Amino acid sequence: MKIAVFSTCKYDEDFLNQFNTGHKLRYFSAPLDEQTVALTAGYDAICIFVNDTLNKEVLNALHANGVKLIVLRCAGFNNVDIAEADRLQIPVLRVPAYSPEAVAEHAMALILTLNRKTHKAYNRIREGNFSLEKLMGFNLSQRKVAVIGTGAIGKAFCRILKGFGCHVSAYDVYPDKDLAATGVTYGTLQETLAGADIVSLHCPLMDNTRHLINKETLKLFKPGAMLINTSRGGLVDTVDVIDALKTGQLGYLGLDVYEQEGKLFFHDYSEDVIQDDRITRLISFPNVIITSHQGFFTREAMEQIATTTFANIDAFANGGELINRVKS
Ligand code: NAD
């Protein structure tokens, strides 16, 4: 098939080229949106990532251009209007799970960095500053950690937390019996957030989870608690979180995703003036760490993304079963 692949960096191209099962790929570093959809004329399929925008307008333009298949190189599909794609009869296929451990381990990396301040110690030592002042952390053992969403990543994260000796409480619309049997305690969202030292988000972004963390839910947090978001930026109301950091209600914040990340993440703006005042405010806090949506970024996950993407494309091309189709 002739496939237009959007939002690519060199590492995407390397992995896709390595596992290509014989398709004609054309790479575009630009994201797919209203401005770039004209580029898809003459392609059978498009391949996209987390920050491409497939709203009604873009989907109708794809349909008019003769695109017959949409493949996502990711699990989340909040950036695609699935109902409209169904109406246009363009199947949307995703990579449902690619090394959930990659994201779970990154969530733990954010916790350990925020807590033990290894990033500050690294810089201090390089400058000949061997002082321990202001580097004090806390033991993770016996701490209460709230996990919101216990799917593939949430479960992997719970296993890591258990290894650290944490008390794990969880909220999910579909509690997992096997996970509960390992000692994870399920409760309502309110019960789960209350009294937690750390809250980590692992549920998808949907209409009913948008701004799940807001002024009201932040009040339920233990004062000075830590919030980790490696799921989707829209789960957190950024303005409310900034307010909570300023009052100290929130003591630490670790983000791998950000509401407005589409305009920033995956690009080098080190010589530019960043226009997003919310992210610059967040960056200014000493107790905030932001990474640029790199939770998935391990060799194992990249390999899994590439192999599943081509398996999805081959299933469509050969009239096989579309096991990874997302339906409205
Ligand atoms: P999953 O589908 O396996 O699990 C999601 C879980 O959330 C399910 O158990 C579901 O029941 C639960 N859920 C749904 N609605 C909920 C709600 N309102 N409240 C609480 N729980 C709810 O997905 P996953 O593979 O574990 O991925 C979780 C999220 O992680 C994805 O949606 C994606 O946004 C994000 N993600 C981020 C990265 C990254 O690089 N940072 C990589 C992959 C996925």
Side-chain angles (χ1 to χ4, degrees), residues 203-218:
C203 59
L205 175 63
M206 299 179 300
D207 287 344
N208 67 348
T209 57
R210 187 172 299 280
H211 289 182
L212 183 84
I213 302 300
N214 57 43
K215 202 187 299 176
E216 295 309 317
T217 47
L218 280 161

Side-chain angles (χ1 to χ4, degrees), residues 17 52 65 81 137 313:
N17 288 342
D52 296 289
N65 282 346
D81 185 334
I313 295 166

Side-chain angles (χ1 to χ4, degrees), residues 107-108 110-112 114-115 138-141 143-148 157 161 164 166-170 192-202 221-229 250 252 254:
M108 181 48 90
L110 292 175
I111 292 173
L112 290 171
L114 280 167
N115 176 16
F138 57 86
N139 283 9
L140 278 178
S141 175
R143 294 280 169 170
K144 181 183 168 191
V145 183
V147 180
I148 311 302
F157 184 60
L161 293 171
F164 274 83
C166 299
H167 298 295
V168 186
S169 57
T192 306
L193 293 178
D197 298 287
I198 300 169
V199 175
S200 192
L201 307 180
H202 300 285
F221 280 43
K222 185 172 172 179
M226 181 188 292
L227 173 64
I228 302 292
N229 187 9
L250 196 58
Y252 310 79

Side-chain angles (χ1 to χ4, degrees), residues 138-272:
F138 57 86
N139 283 9
L140 278 178
S141 175
Q142 303 305 316
R143 294 280 169 170
K144 181 183 168 191
V145 183
V147 180
I148 311 302
T150 51
I153 296 171
K155 276 206 276 281
F157 184 60
C158 288
R159 286 194 289 273
I160 294 171
L161 293 171
K162 284 278 169 198
F164 274 83
C166 299
H167 298 295
V168 186
S169 57
Y171 170 68
D172 195 302
V173 281
Y174 300 108
D176 185 296
K177 284 196 190 80
D178 294 339
L179 192 65
T182 69
V184 170
T185 340
Y186 278 97
T188 62
L189 178 64
Q190 285 69 17
E191 287 163 354
T192 306
L193 293 178
D197 298 287
I198 300 169
V199 175
S200 192
L201 307 180
H202 300 285
C203 59
L205 175 63
M206 299 179 300
D207 287 344
N208 67 348
T209 57
R210 187 172 299 280
H211 289 182
L212 183 84
I213 302 300
N214 57 43
K215 202 187 299 176
E216 295 309 317
T217 47
L218 280 161
K219 283 183 196 153
L220 302 169
F221 280 43
K222 185 172 172 179
M226 181 188 292
L227 173 64
I228 302 292
N229 187 9
T230 57
S231 194
R232 282 292 180 270
L235 294 174
V236 170
D237 185 319
T238 310
V239 173
D240 290 353
V241 152
I242 289 172
D243 287 344
L245 283 163
K246 283 163 80 175
T247 62
Q249 173 63 10
L250 196 58
Y252 310 79
L253 176 66
L255 297 181
D256 186 48
V257 288
Y258 168 64
E259 246 183 319
Q260 305 300 330
E261 69 176 52
K263 297 194 191 93
L264 292 169
F265 283 15
F266 309 129
H267 300 287
D268 178 359
Y269 294 115
S270 52
E271 291 298 315
D272 299 322

Side-chain angles (χ1 to χ4, degrees), residues 9-311:
C9 295
K10 188 177 174 305
Y11 45 80
D12 298 301
E13 297 174 15
D14 289 346
F15 275 89
L16 291 172
N17 288 342
Q18 191 185 339
F19 293 96
N20 188 352
T21 48
H23 301 278
K24 236 174 146 182
L25 308 183
R26 170 76 197 269
Y27 296 114
F28 297 96
S29 58
L32 178 59
D33 57 21
E34 294 88 342
Q35 275 79 49
T36 55
V37 70
L39 296 167
T40 64
Y43 288 93
D44 305 306
I46 55 144
C47 178
I48 60 164
F49 197 46
V50 291
N51 290 324
D52 296 289
T53 308
L54 270 73
N55 55 22
K56 279 196 176 63
E57 185 185 337
V58 174
L59 284 164
N60 278 279
L62 288 175
H63 186 251
N65 282 346
V67 170
K68 295 176 223 38
L69 173 70
I70 295 167
V71 283
L72 298 166
R73 306 194 297 281
C74 53
F77 47 85
N78 53 286
N79 51 335
V80 182
D81 185 334
I82 300 294
E84 186 67 5
D86 280 352
R87 195 187 67 76
L88 296 167
Q89 297 185 340
I90 309 178
V92 179
L93 310 184
R94 65 174 183 144
V95 183
Y98 44 93
S99 185
E101 288 77 15
V103 184
E105 288 170 16
H106 191 71
M108 181 48 90
L110 292 175
I111 292 173
L112 290 171
T113 309
L114 280 167
N115 176 16
R116 304 305 298 266
K117 305 176 176 60
T118 44
H119 58 311
K120 295 187 182 181
Y122 173 80
N123 285 328
R124 279 191 191 185
I125 300 291
R126 285 170 69 88
E127 291 180 2
N129 176 356
F130 296 88
S131 155
L132 297 185
E133 291 297 336
K134 299 184 181 173
L135 293 184
M136 194 184 296
F138 57 86
N139 283 9
L140 278 178
S141 175
Q142 303 305 316
R143 294 280 169 170
K144 181 183 168 191
V145 183
V147 180
I148 311 302
T150 51
I153 296 171
K155 276 206 276 281
F157 184 60
C158 288
R159 286 194 289 273
I160 294 171
L161 293 171
K162 284 278 169 198
F164 274 83
C166 299
H167 298 295
V168 186
S169 57
Y171 170 68
D172 195 302
V173 281
Y174 300 108
D176 185 296
K177 284 196 190 80
D178 294 339
L179 192 65
T182 69
V184 170
T185 340
Y186 278 97
T188 62
L189 178 64
Q190 285 69 17
E191 287 163 354
T192 306
L193 293 178
D197 298 287
I198 300 169
V199 175
S200 192
L201 307 180
H202 300 285
C203 59
L205 175 63
M206 299 179 300
D207 287 344
N208 67 348
T209 57
R210 187 172 299 280
H211 289 182
L212 183 84
I213 302 300
N214 57 43
K215 202 187 299 176
E216 295 309 317
T217 47
L218 280 161
K219 283 183 196 153
L220 302 169
F221 280 43
K222 185 172 172 179
M226 181 188 292
L227 173 64
I228 302 292
N229 187 9
T230 57
S231 194
R232 282 292 180 270
L235 294 174
V236 170
D237 185 319
T238 310
V239 173
D240 290 353
V241 152
I242 289 172
D243 287 344
L245 283 163
K246 283 163 80 175
T247 62
Q249 173 63 10
L250 196 58
Y252 310 79
L253 176 66
L255 297 181
D256 186 48
V257 288
Y258 168 64
E259 246 183 319
Q260 305 300 330
E261 69 176 52
K263 297 194 191 93
L264 292 169
F265 283 15
F266 309 129
H267 300 287
D268 178 359
Y269 294 115
S270 52
E271 291 298 315
D272 299 322
V273 175
I274 293 175
Q275 300 296 326
D276 181 335
D277 291 347
R278 288 182 189 161
I279 200 158
T280 51
R281 183 68 182 100
L282 283 174
I283 292 166
S284 76
F285 288 100
N287 48 354
V288 173
I289 289 189
I290 302 175
T291 52
S292 182
H293 208 138
Q294 69 176 80
F296 73 99
F297 200 45
T298 65
R299 273 189 290 278
E300 292 80 357
M302 290 298 286
E303 194 173 315
Q304 181 77 59
I305 289 170
T307 51
T308 307
T309 297
F310 287 112

